[in-house]
Amino acid sequence: MSTDPTTARYSVEGLTALSESLLHEAGIEKAHARAMTARMIDGDLLGHRTHGLAFLPTYLDRIEGGHIGSGGELETLHDDGATAAWRANRLPGAWVMGEATDLLLDRITDRAVATVTVADCSHIGCLQSYLLPFTERGLLVTLTATNPGVASVAAPGGTRGVITSNPIAMGIPTRADPILIDQCTSVGSNALFEGYAVRGERLPGKWLVGADGIPTDDPTVLRADPPGTIQSLGQTDFGYKGFGFGLMSEALSIALPGYGRRSRPDRFGQGVFLQVLDPGRFAGSDTFLDEIDHLVGSVRDDPGAAGATIRLPGERALAARRQQIRDGVVIGAEVLARLTPRANRSSTPLPTPL
Amino acid sequence: MSTDPTTARYSVEGLTALSESLLHEAGIEKAHARAMTARMIDGDLLGHRTHGLAFLPTYLDRIEGGHIGSGGELETLHDDGATAAWRANRLPGAWVMGEATDLLLDRITDRAVATVTVADCSHIGCLQSYLLPFTERGLLVTLTATNPGVASVAAPGGTRGVITSNPIAMGIPTRADPILIDQCTSVGSNALFEGYAVRGERLPGKWLVGADGIPTDDPTVLRADPPGTIQSLGQTDFGYKGFGFGLMSEALSIALPGYGRRSRPDRFGQGVFLQVLDPGRFAGSDTFLDEIDHLVGSVRDDPGAAGATIRLPGERALAARRQQIRDGVVIGAEVLARLTPRANRSSTPLPTPL
């Protein structure tokens, strides 16, 4: 048992029991609480601590504020077999994504492409966590999600946030570990810069733009009035390309599902685009895997620059997941501290470190 | 009539007659020559001079070298109505893309999503030029294409090219001009850096990486032995994200169509992924356009940083297109010089400047 609060590890079972219990006691249906918990813990397992159980206190606050629903129904706007468009009326994002995953795994059995869009679900969390059920079956999957209530990224040359960090993810099966891409289209997420601001640190580079339009390494400009914005991927020289990718996400996950910035929503809903493709119904699964495995091999064969470690997207996350399933999940002391008062009022105690 | 060779303008008709004639005389079927010509001239009209008639001398060389076919047939690997996978056996990319566009415009009439992949067609040219037939009908379109015979982009930390500049494009309809995104996933295209090398200039930033893995502003490293590589979008700090987008393109346009790096192809073929989505079969066309027009409006309302001009993707290209359709197409003197010997042997003369 480690008593160092920065490296203390907890069992998945103990964390799961606590999270499910706190969510259910806050009014969330058990099936919804299970899905939310599984995805948060998977975020921690994959090493994305900002997208793991760190969300639980926030989610509990949002449930109390009425921003996360439970008990309503998914509304179908369109369904032609290959493509479904849902309106989720602020149901828990992780549960809605589980329903969408089940639907797509069923629909893809007799076609090459199946697609679901979701309007107005609550926060879905770590995108990477939704890719494995598809890649494990040899399927290629694309996922993008956006929060229309947050506007922290300006057009290149602009000073006003018009989109946000708009992540795009893709799971690519290989004959070994899948490639699990999950990245925002700005240089970093809102949470990344909030972390720098909380710690009182400057950024390593001029990754933000002040409200005056001038690039800056000061993370507090995002909290200023008027606020600054986050640079698009590519930064000052090539940010128009990152902004282009952000617009792609916006078209797929806001305009297509039909829930967006025009309705001036609060900060707690998301739109989602999820599409699965079966390589077996294009040029064939073996051909697909031959090509991808060749690409993976050429990356592995690269000796690399001096001192550099070459990794494929998802490689570090999958290694962290295996290690933490075996040894227990590292949960930050500050997350436990935020959960302690709630656990003390709950029927389920805080888990003890392993 | 301008006699300044840097601003001389030519009629679309004159350029079209010359290009179609030279291609046909080189052995390309008339329908193929028409498609190739239309797309090259559209590249010039949109202002992408590296992706316009500048390709014609290169294409003529490739035809002579047997790298561009004509007269063969498209082979269907899969077709379930919603999704078709073709092998194009090095048929002209522009003609194959025209066939794919016609197929998708037909197939999308009674479904929400329609997809075509193409293996082993010849070079398709300017991606942006293929988006308008879809956006003009209110359809959302995604296009990515890759050349598996070129490897100029390394994994982050790496020193060996494993993918190339892998462009991704999307056409987004609005109630006014469409948003036409077309961008590579590296900081720039191979042609951009070749231009700097030919002119003997240094780059404005360390956009390349030498074979030693060290970032550099020397464009000649791409020609060195061993060669350097192009940084992925996001450069040194965030290039892993640009490389992630490059891998997405690779999965969709090489592995899925089934024609790729594993077969060690020559430098003249491409794989393509083209998908069209009908917003009318998601949350509805009006809802889609309401959201996109709202986003466009919020970009237009931004006063911008001092001295900055804010543009949406495609805005400058569409303005150039309108102006050049009206006033004639600017063709570089060096392009005309390369075509002159061929025109002198041809039945169709070089057009005279307007």
Side-chain angles (χ1 to χ4, degrees):
Chain A
M1 167 178 161
S2 165
T3 52
D4 175 351
T6 62
T7 60
R9 292 178 181 275
Y10 299 85
S11 74
V12 169
E13 295 71 22
L15 295 170
T16 299
L18 176 68
S19 173
E20 288 186 359
S21 173
L22 292 182
L23 287 165
H24 184 55
E25 287 167 16
I28 295 293
E29 280 187 14
K30 285 195 171 172
H32 297 177
R34 267 198 300 278
M36 294 170 76
T37 296
R39 293 283 72 75
M40 283 189 281
I41 292 179
D42 204 47
D44 279 313
L45 285 171
L46 292 164
H48 306 303
R49 309 216 175 281
T50 56
H51 282 59
L53 275 179
F55 281 141
L56 182 54
T58 308
Y59 284 169
L60 292 167
D61 289 344
R62 290 183 187 176
I63 294 164
E64 284 167 12
H67 298 295
I68 299 178
S70 191
E73 290 195 359
L74 283 168
E75 188 183 338
T76 298
L77 306 177
H78 170 88
D79 192 340
D80 65 17
T83 303
W86 290 347
R87 176 175 290 276
N89 301 313
R90 216 53 73 91
L91 284 164
W95 177 80
V96 174
M97 286 295 294
E99 296 293 296
T101 299
D102 289 346
L103 185 88
L104 290 183
L105 289 176
D106 177 53
R107 299 287 175 86
I108 199 65
T109 54
D110 55 3
R111 54 177 59 84
V113 181
T115 310
V116 171
T117 59
V118 184
D120 196 21
C121 69
S122 76
H123 192 249
I124 70 170
C126 172
L127 267 59
Q128 199 174 47
S129 172
Y130 297 101
L131 307 177
L132 281 171
F134 299 99
T135 57
E136 284 167 353
R137 289 164 176 83
L139 300 166
L140 181 64
V141 57
T142 301
L143 169 61
T144 182
T146 314
N147 185 333
V150 179
S152 53
V153 174
T159 56
R160 293 184 188 167
V162 291
I163 64 174
T164 182
S165 50
N166 290 13
I168 301 179
M170 179 180 275
I172 306 174
T174 81
R175 289 198 178 88
D177 276 348
I179 300 172
L180 301 177
I181 303 162
D182 174 6
Q183 54 204 28
C184 53
T185 55
S186 56
V187 294
S189 65
N190 298 286
L192 174 74
F193 298 110
E194 181 62 20
Y196 277 96
V198 166
R199 293 190 301 273
E201 296 172 11
R202 306 295 282 200
L203 306 172
K206 293 188 174 182
W207 297 342
L208 302 176
V209 179
D212 53 5
I214 298 173
T216 177
D217 61 1
D218 175 4
T220 67
V221 297
L222 294 181
R223 302 166 161 188
D225 183 19
T229 55
I230 304 172
Q231 293 227 45
S232 288
L233 179 64
Q235 298 96 294
T236 303
D237 285 338
F238 301 105
Y240 67 95
K241 295 189 189 196
F243 187 71
F245 286 120
L247 291 175
M248 291 184 195
S249 168
E250 201 86 2
L252 293 170
S253 69
I254 286 190
L256 211 55
Y259 167 72
R261 301 181 185 281
R262 187 170 149 271
S263 53
R264 299 183 180 280
D266 60 45
R267 297 170 59 87
F268 310 113
Q270 283 191 310
V272 177
F273 175 89
L274 180 63
Q275 181 174 79
V276 58
L277 303 104
D278 180 3
R281 292 173 193 271
F282 287 84
S285 292
D286 279 340
T287 303
F288 182 93
L289 292 171
D290 286 346
E291 289 293 344
I292 290 294
D293 286 356
H294 177 83
L295 178 61
V296 168
S298 67
V299 172
R300 301 256 183 257
D301 287 345
D302 188 331
T309 303
I310 301 177
R311 289 193 195 88
L312 282 161
E315 187 173 340
R316 188 156 47 178
L318 289 170
R321 195 170 192 266
R322 276 188 278 265
Q323 197 227 334
Q324 295 195 99
I325 286 174
R326 191 183 64 222
D327 300 338
V329 189
V330 175
I331 299 292
E334 75 292 353
V335 174
L336 267 294
R338 287 178 69 195
L339 290 172
T340 300
R342 295 181 186 270
N344 290 342
R345 294 194 302 271
S346 151
S347 61
T348 307
L350 274 185
T352 49
L354 296 177
Chain B
M1 168 176 162
S2 165
T3 52
D4 175 352
T6 61
T7 58
R9 291 177 183 275
Y10 299 84
S11 74
V12 169
E13 295 70 24
L15 294 170
T16 298
L18 176 69
S19 172
E20 289 185 359
S21 173
L22 292 182
L23 286 165
H24 183 55
E25 288 167 15
I28 295 292
E29 280 188 14
K30 285 195 171 173
H32 297 177
R34 267 197 301 277
M36 293 170 77
T37 297
R39 294 282 71 77
M40 284 188 279
I41 292 178
D42 204 48
D44 278 313
L45 285 171
L46 292 163
H48 305 302
R49 309 218 175 279
T50 56
H51 283 58
L53 275 179
F55 281 140
L56 181 54
T58 308
Y59 285 169
L60 292 167
D61 289 344
R62 290 183 188 176
I63 293 163
E64 285 167 12
H67 298 296
I68 299 179
S70 191
E73 290 198 356
L74 283 168
E75 188 183 337
T76 298
L77 305 177
H78 169 88
D79 191 340
D80 65 16
T83 303
W86 290 347
R87 177 175 288 276
N89 301 314
R90 216 53 74 90
L91 284 164
W95 177 80
V96 175
M97 287 294 294
E99 297 293 295
T101 299
D102 289 346
L103 185 87
L104 290 183
L105 289 176
D106 176 54
R107 299 287 174 85
I108 199 64
T109 55
D110 55 2
R111 53 176 62 81
V113 180
T115 310
V116 171
T117 59
V118 184
D120 195 21
C121 67
S122 77
H123 193 249
I124 69 170
C126 173
L127 268 58
Q128 199 174 47
S129 171
Y130 297 102
L131 307 176
L132 280 171
F134 299 100
T135 58
E136 284 168 353
R137 290 164 176 84
L139 301 166
L140 181 64
V141 58
T142 300
L143 169 61
T144 182
T146 313
N147 184 333
V150 179
S152 53
V153 174
T159 57
R160 293 185 189 168
V162 292
I163 64 175
T164 182
S165 50
N166 290 15
I168 301 179
M170 179 180 276
I172 307 174
T174 81
R175 288 198 179 86
D177 276 348
I179 300 172
L180 302 177
I181 303 161
D182 174 6
Q183 54 203 29
C184 55
T185 55
S186 55
V187 295
S189 65
N190 299 286
L192 175 75
F193 298 110
E194 181 63 18
Y196 277 97
V198 166
R199 294 191 300 273
E201 296 172 11
R202 305 295 281 198
L203 306 172
K206 294 188 173 180
W207 297 343
L208 301 176
V209 179
D212 54 5
I214 298 174
T216 178
D217 60 1
D218 176 4
T220 68
V221 297
L222 293 182
R223 302 165 161 191
D225 183 19
T229 55
I230 305 172
Q231 293 228 44
S232 288
L233 179 64
Q235 297 97 294
T236 303
D237 285 338
F238 301 106
Y240 66 95
K241 295 189 190 195
F243 187 70
F245 286 120
L247 291 175
M248 291 184 195
S249 168
E250 200 85 4
L252 292 170
S253 69
I254 286 190
L256 211 55
Y259 167 72
R261 301 180 184 283
R262 187 171 147 269
S263 53
R264 300 185 180 278
D266 59 46
R267 297 169 59 88
F268 309 114
Q270 283 192 309
V272 178
F273 175 89
L274 179 64
Q275 182 173 78
V276 57
L277 303 104
D278 180 2
R281 292 173 193 271
F282 287 85
S285 292
D286 280 339
T287 302
F288 182 93
L289 293 171
D290 286 347
E291 289 293 345
I292 290 294
D293 286 355
H294 177 82
L295 178 61
V296 169
S298 67
V299 172
R300 300 256 183 257
D301 288 346
D302 189 332
T309 303
I310 301 177
R311 289 192 195 89
L312 282 161
E315 188 174 340
R316 188 157 44 177
L318 289 170
R321 195 169 191 268
R322 275 188 279 263
Q323 197 228 330
Q324 295 195 98
I325 286 175
R326 193 183 62 223
D327 300 339
V329 189
V330 175
I331 299 291
E334 74 292 353
V335 174
L336 268 293
R338 287 178 70 195
L339 290 173
T340 299
R342 294 181 186 270
N344 290 344
R345 295 195 301 271
S346 152
S347 62
T348 307
L350 273 188
T352 49
L354 295 178

